[in-house]
Amino acid sequence: MTYPELESAVYETLWHKHEQDPSFTFSVRKKASKGAEADYFIGTKASNYLGFTCWHVPIYYPGASIDFCSFIVKPLDNGFEYQFQVFTPNAAEALEENPALQICHYLANQIAFQLTEHGIEFRQSIKSNAMLWFGIYPKSSKSNSGGEAALSELKSFIDGILPAVDAAITDTKKEYPDFSGKRIELAAFQHMLAKMKIRQDRYKTSTDSASEESDLSSEDLPIPVTMQIDSSILPSKNLLLYGPPGTGKTYYLQTKLFDYFQEEGKPIRYSFVTFHQAFTYEDFIEGLKPIVGQTGGGQISYTIEPGIFYKACDEAAKLAGFDSLSQALAVTQEERETRFEQAPPYALFIDEINRANVSATFGELITLLETNKRLGADQEITSLILPYSKKPFGVPLNLYVIGTMNTADRSIEALDTALRRRFIFREISPDPSLLNRSIADIPLHQLLTTINHRLERLGNREQRVGHAFLTSVETEQQLVDAFSYSIVPLLQEYFYNDYRKIGLVLGRGFVEERISIASFADFDADLASEYEEVVLWDLKPVTLDAIRGVL
């Protein structure tokens, strides 16, 4: 039995059971990675299994790909096999995992007594310090010929498991009244089915178009081309590029990221802002702005104006088909999820994000930035009320927040801890390989590598010299100017005018020692002798020989 045949047969069996008993619900795949676009359930042809559950039990563990308790079906050459699995951490660390662990033990202890009449047996139990796992199998051979008889056996198997798990959840709620484990509700089931159908129809449309070699333009495709975002370029909806000066962080935005948010002949789908010391919450989210009276007299009134982040959220909502962010907040969670997951992406680019007071600027939005707390996500937050307008607010699921950070101004460790947890950080390092040429027999890549190696030894890797200081150098004079007006001043800033360290990095050609003999005023003071003769350090004019001497 092939995997697609098995998926289709299992789905039809479960759907027929739902038609007979509308209270019976089951999980289907809402999203799909490449290769699983037409699938009904979790699991793939490559993994050789499909899985579904009938309950929502909030339990999470590293690497989880199936639910806390799931039915697993695997294709065989002459049919299929099936089982019921329970999989949970064996140490209750999270609040919701305490009752889930109790359910697991309840089933492990009671299953043999409750389910034998359905031809089911508890076949295996593996316990460790980390995980508790067991599987429940039919007593008959796992391999069968498929067909209606085998599918009928699968239905009987499910019928035996359902009341046992329901009883375990009911019993657990007596000890944990706030435990939210339950059967999948009808509304959630219908929403999953709708999402699956949209995905499958979208995939069918795209494959039919490809097979017919259709000349459809990008406007005719189910998903805009720019929605296909490369996860290696944008691994998260909250991304922060960091690195020392001159590594091309802003250039990276322009050359690698802007194209994801614009299409030829259409308005751009991004906003750009540079943070600075005076940038505030009122500029970013919303605030009171003065309006000078137009009738004379110099009277000033105030109005509440949205900031750049609020406007970005509003634009993202419009791309999902809403008139505004306010309208998006007024519809059901299911409609938000459907619309936002199909919407083209919108981005807010924030240059020099660490120059502002990040905690004060983002305010309560720190929580809303989390992907699973955004509008359209499973754990979306819609109850936040803005302090000025008193309007509800949320962050759309299709909004990307991408920032840059100069580590010479402030290290990553100095950033607000809550912000660090919500962003993926990508280091943009100096790249000497981009300097594959020599000026006056001075290999630029070797020059940059040598300088940065010495800087790392003296301080830390956040205070290095970026390749951008030398990428445009084509002549000897341009090389001298790059050192005179960019690199040397940067090192002065790094070392707080401690020219001895500059000398250790660049050499004697840049720094010279000078003995200063002072003649103080006529005054009795013991400390005068300490300063009569001191060693001072001066910077020399930059020359090609001095630059050559760095190597």
Side-chain angles (χ1 to χ4, degrees):
M1 196 172 198
T2 66
Y3 186 85
E5 290 172 342
L6 177 61
E7 265 215 318
S8 179
V10 171
Y11 177 77
E12 290 298 329
T13 298
L14 298 180
W15 178 251
H16 180 65
K17 182 174 175 59
H18 169 72
E19 288 182 319
Q20 293 177 323
D21 177 10
S23 67
F24 172 74
T25 55
F26 56 94
S27 65
V28 295
R29 179 191 283 273
K30 292 193 295 182
K31 302 178 182 178
S33 56
K34 186 175 182 181
E37 297 91 342
D39 287 2
Y40 290 93
F41 302 104
I42 293 297
T44 62
K45 181 179 180 181
S47 63
N48 200 42
Y49 82 90
L50 64 88
F52 61 91
T53 186
C54 298
W55 300 270
H56 170 70
V57 178
I59 174 71
Y60 309 98
Y61 53 90
S65 60
I66 57 176
D67 293 276
F68 161 70
C69 51
S70 300
F71 294 95
I72 305 297
V73 187
K74 298 181 180 180
L76 300 172
D77 291 339
N78 60 339
F80 60 87
E81 64 180 8
Y82 52 88
Q83 64 188 63
F84 177 72
Q85 286 187 355
V86 178
F87 207 166
T88 179
N90 203 20
E93 298 176 355
L95 178 63
E96 286 285 12
E97 291 178 4
N98 288 281
L101 187 60
Q102 178 166 315
I103 292 175
C104 194
H105 285 293
Y106 179 99
L107 290 173
N109 294 330
Q110 302 296 323
I111 206 79
F113 301 101
Q114 294 183 3
L115 301 180
T116 51
E117 63 184 88
H118 294 280
I120 296 170
E121 63 180 343
F122 178 63
R123 298 249 329 242
Q124 187 177 12
S125 178
I126 299 176
K127 294 184 179 181
S128 70
N129 291 332
M131 305 300 297
L132 176 62
W133 175 90
F134 65 80
I136 304 168
Y137 302 82
K139 282 186 176 180
S140 59
S141 172
K142 291 187 294 181
S143 175
N144 53 66
S145 60
E148 291 299 325
L151 293 170
S152 178
E153 289 179 9
L154 174 61
K155 287 175 63 176
S156 296
F157 179 78
I158 295 171
D159 287 338
I161 297 292
L162 290 175
V165 178
D166 288 343
I169 292 176
T170 300
D171 185 75
T172 300
K173 284 185 175 181
K174 295 176 182 177
E175 183 174 348
Y176 298 93
D178 294 331
F179 178 53
S180 57
K182 58 187 175 183
R183 284 279 196 105
I184 295 174
E185 294 179 340
L186 184 60
F189 173 62
Q190 293 172 337
H191 177 58
M192 283 191 287
L193 291 176
K195 295 279 292 181
M196 181 188 71
K197 187 176 187 309
I198 290 172
R199 169 175 53 79
Q200 291 177 333
D201 289 347
R202 180 191 302 157
Y203 175 68
K204 185 177 185 301
T205 301
S206 62
T207 53
D208 288 348
S209 298
S211 62
E212 296 170 6
E213 295 185 352
S214 172
D215 59 353
L216 291 175
S217 68
S218 61
E219 294 182 359
D220 298 317
L221 295 175
I223 309 177
V225 174
T226 48
M227 285 186 66
Q228 308 299 331
I229 292 180
D230 187 348
S231 60
S232 66
I233 301 295
L234 270 175
S236 169
K237 288 185 168 64
N238 302 321
L239 177 65
L240 202 153
L241 309 175
Y242 71 97
T247 52
K249 296 177 288 297
T250 306
Y251 181 76
Y252 186 94
L253 298 182
Q254 295 172 313
T255 58
K256 295 291 185 67
L257 301 183
F258 278 10
D259 286 346
Y260 284 108
F261 306 98
Q262 58 188 6
E263 296 177 62
E264 186 175 353
K266 294 185 178 180
I268 61 174
R269 297 197 307 275
Y270 64 83
S271 308
F272 187 94
V273 64
T274 300
F275 274 9
H276 51 80
Q277 290 86 342
F279 205 86
T280 65
Y281 178 93
E282 286 73 18
D283 300 311
F284 195 56
I285 311 301
E286 67 172 13
L288 293 173
K289 301 295 181 181
I291 300 177
V292 179
Q294 302 296 318
T295 58
Q299 291 186 344
I300 297 178
S301 59
Y302 292 88
T303 184
I304 299 172
E305 289 190 4
I308 190 167
F309 186 79
Y310 189 104
K311 293 176 181 177
C313 292
D314 201 54
E315 291 298 324
K318 291 177 180 177
L319 289 175
F322 298 106
D323 293 334
S324 64
L325 181 63
S326 297
Q327 187 191 34
L329 286 158
V331 301
T332 64
Q333 193 275 340
E334 288 77 12
E335 183 173 353
R336 277 193 294 270
E337 182 177 353
T338 301
R339 289 203 191 187
F340 279 124
E341 288 191 351
Q342 298 178 61
Y346 190 90
L348 174 62
F349 294 102
I350 306 174
D351 203 20
E352 305 285 359
I353 192 172
N354 56 318
R355 291 186 65 210
N357 184 332
V358 175
S359 299
T361 301
F362 277 83
E364 66 271 34
L365 299 185
I366 290 290
T367 299
L368 300 185
L369 282 176
E370 294 182 40
T371 302
N372 64 341
K373 303 296 191 302
R374 294 181 175 216
L375 300 181
D378 293 338
Q379 301 176 37
E380 66 172 9
I381 294 178
T382 60
S383 57
L384 187 143
I385 304 297
L386 294 176
Y388 289 97
S389 63
K390 307 304 179 185
K391 293 180 180 179
F393 183 77
V395 178
L397 193 61
N398 62 327
L399 177 67
Y400 284 75
V401 181
I402 304 167
T404 69
M405 172 180 167
N406 190 331
T407 54
D409 297 333
R410 185 187 302 178
S411 70
I412 293 174
E413 288 74 16
L415 273 183
D416 181 85
T417 304
L419 184 75
R420 294 208 311 269
R421 290 200 308 269
R422 288 162 173 84
F423 274 78
I424 293 293
F425 285 78
R426 170 171 289 166
E427 184 177 26
I428 307 295
S429 298
D431 188 358
S433 66
L434 298 175
L435 306 173
N436 55 352
R437 62 188 184 281
S438 297
I439 303 295
D441 295 326
I442 303 173
L444 297 185
H445 71 282
Q446 184 179 347
L447 181 65
L448 184 66
T449 300
T450 300
I451 291 173
N452 284 330
H453 176 72
R454 293 168 181 169
L455 286 171
E456 288 183 13
R457 295 290 298 274
L458 288 174
N460 57 62
R461 66 196 322 270
E462 294 178 345
Q463 293 186 334
R464 290 176 289 170
V465 175
H467 52 267
F469 290 109
L470 299 174
T471 50
S472 61
V473 170
E474 299 291 345
T475 67
E476 295 177 0
Q477 186 57 49
Q478 288 177 343
L479 180 59
V480 170
D481 289 344
F483 271 82
S484 299
Y485 306 124
S486 298
I487 295 176
V488 172
L490 180 63
L491 297 184
Q492 288 179 276
E493 180 183 336
Y494 281 172
F495 298 130
Y496 303 101
N497 290 318
D498 186 347
Y499 292 171
R500 294 174 301 171
K501 290 185 178 179
I502 296 178
L504 290 173
V505 174
L506 300 181
R508 295 183 181 276
F510 284 83
V511 181
E512 63 180 355
E513 178 182 321
R514 172 169 58 88
I515 305 298
S516 175
I517 300 175
S519 177
F520 291 107
D522 183 17
F523 185 78
D524 294 331
D526 294 337
L527 60 90
S529 59
E530 299 178 21
Y531 296 97
E532 285 180 353
E533 183 175 312
V534 296
V535 178
L536 300 178
W537 305 88
D538 295 322
L539 292 175
K540 294 181 180 180
V542 178
T543 64
L544 277 176
D545 287 338
I547 297 173
R548 193 175 289 111
V550 173
L551 299 175

